[in-house]
Amino acid sequence: MDPRAFLLELAPLSEEARAAYLLSRLPGAKRDGVGNVFAGEGGVLLLAHMDTALPPGPVRLQGGRLYGAGVGDNTAGVAVLLSLPPLPGVVRGFTVGEEGLGNLKGARALVAALNPEVVVAVDGYLPVVVDRALGAIRFRVRFQGPGGHAWGDRGVPHPAFALAEGLKAARALLEGEEASLNATGLRAEAPVNAIPKEAEALLELRALEREVLEGLFRRVEALFREVARAQGLGVSLEVLGTRPVGATATPLLKEAARQALAEIGERPLFLPGSTDASAGVERGIPALALGAYRGGGAHTPEEWVLPESLLEGRRALLAFLRALGVG
């Protein structure tokens, strides 16, 4: 089975249409209560997420590259995993809820239900191997005030400016830390001549160490509360999701990854990351993620992949399973 053909057919499909496509092509496939599709039995759980950061749509082939939102992350991983034959001891799982605020709900549900011995996410670029889970906290911050007329009430506390001040100060807190802070979903809905009653943003804080992640979150929370107090506004913070931090990749898994990439003339590039494999890390199950394709521009409308590289990804994944003694 050719992953390149699967990629072309899957790339423009919605998540629900992808699930139907997979169910029609996987012998004995099932769908669980959260929307995952899976097939097979055994202790090795291979995962590729069906959802994409941006809505999928038409793709175009240009200069040997296939362009389109979500064509790589993780449509390419789904195509590679689907192209494997049924293998003894291996479950192929296609998950929901990996991107955005999905909170790894699909991977967490499958890992909890199947209790595998090993979890491997098929996700990302060759020759990357994610052997360490990057932790994350996603939350909403919302400032509240009285609102009013832009001129007549120009002296009242202003939620939008408080939010801007808080975001700038929060970013400065991360200086010198091995961490990141992202902000999106900024909203302060009101006519241009009205002071909004509320202003909010969605934030994501990431770090490699649990203590750093939790400590930075407490500091950011305290900072927003101080900005609100100083400006006479109300403020609320709501945690929307978390991703685990840590590492459970065993020497055996790492050696299997080395052998897999040697199959295609590569050496593994071990990096931290947040993938479906984190659902295994969270439960103390040996886990890592294997890249499956070559490309770039993830999470942008101009994401691209080299279709031929999916054949390399397939070869490497099969070699990985052989090194584990399954398949």
Side-chain angles (χ1 to χ4, degrees):
M1 291 181 281
D2 192 333
R4 298 169 298 181
F6 289 141
L7 178 64
L8 289 171
E9 293 179 350
L10 284 162
L13 299 182
S14 68
E15 184 177 343
E16 190 62 26
R18 290 180 182 200
Y21 182 96
L22 292 165
L23 285 166
S24 71
R25 285 160 176 79
L26 280 169
K30 303 175 184 177
R31 197 167 192 199
D32 66 13
V34 299
N36 298 314
V37 175
F38 64 102
E41 295 182 356
V44 177
L45 176 59
L46 304 180
L47 299 174
H49 63 88
M50 296 183 289
D51 57 329
T52 56
L54 300 179
V59 295
R60 73 179 192 278
L61 188 62
Q62 180 179 333
R65 295 179 175 184
L66 190 66
Y67 288 87
V71 70
D73 184 13
N74 189 30
T75 312
V78 170
V80 168
L81 185 54
L82 178 60
S83 75
L84 298 190
L87 298 168
V90 175
V91 179
R92 287 180 286 172
F94 301 89
T95 63
V96 299
E98 198 277 340
E99 298 288 7
L101 292 172
N103 206 33
L104 299 178
K105 68 177 181 181
R108 280 170 160 154
L110 273 184
V111 169
L114 301 178
N115 192 28
E117 298 170 9
V118 173
V119 176
V120 178
V122 182
D123 191 358
Y125 303 132
L126 291 166
V128 172
V129 177
V130 175
D131 63 340
R132 186 177 181 187
L134 178 62
I137 300 175
R138 280 82 180 262
F139 58 101
R140 177 184 290 111
V141 59
R142 178 181 291 129
F143 287 89
Q144 302 107 6
H149 191 282
W151 175 255
D153 297 308
R154 59 189 180 276
V156 304
H158 200 300
F161 290 120
L163 176 62
E165 179 183 331
L167 290 175
K168 182 178 180 180
R171 190 176 186 185
L173 286 178
L174 271 67
E175 291 181 6
E177 297 281 4
E178 196 167 14
S180 69
L181 179 68
N182 188 46
T184 186
L186 280 71
R187 289 177 34 180
E189 294 182 359
V192 71
N193 58 343
I195 298 169
K197 292 178 67 69
E198 294 184 346
E200 67 176 46
L202 297 176
L203 293 101
E204 180 198 67
L205 186 63
R206 294 194 185 203
L208 288 170
E209 303 292 341
R210 183 186 308 278
E211 295 77 11
V212 173
L213 181 64
E214 293 175 351
L216 283 171
F217 177 71
R218 289 192 295 269
R219 292 171 63 191
V220 169
E221 183 180 29
L223 184 151
F224 283 130
R225 296 196 185 284
E226 176 55 27
V227 169
R229 185 202 63 77
Q231 299 200 21
L233 293 164
V235 68
S236 63
L237 276 83
E238 177 189 5
V239 174
L240 303 173
T242 63
R243 292 195 175 209
V245 61
T248 57
T250 62
L252 175 62
L253 282 182
K254 291 182 180 181
E255 178 56 30
R258 291 187 182 94
Q259 292 183 34
L261 288 160
E263 178 79 13
I264 59 170
E266 289 278 9
R267 293 181 179 179
L269 177 59
F270 291 106
L271 293 174
S274 185
T275 70
D276 273 344
S278 296
V281 173
E282 186 172 44
R283 288 177 169 262
I285 299 169
L288 51 69
L290 290 175
Y293 62 96
R294 302 184 194 275
H299 294 195
T300 74
E302 288 297 295
E303 185 172 7
W304 60 273
V305 302
L306 295 174
E308 297 301 313
S309 70
L310 273 66
L311 297 175
E312 294 182 285
R314 186 179 191 273
R315 283 176 57 200
L317 185 54
L318 287 169
F320 177 83
L321 293 171
R322 288 196 301 270
L324 289 184
V326 297

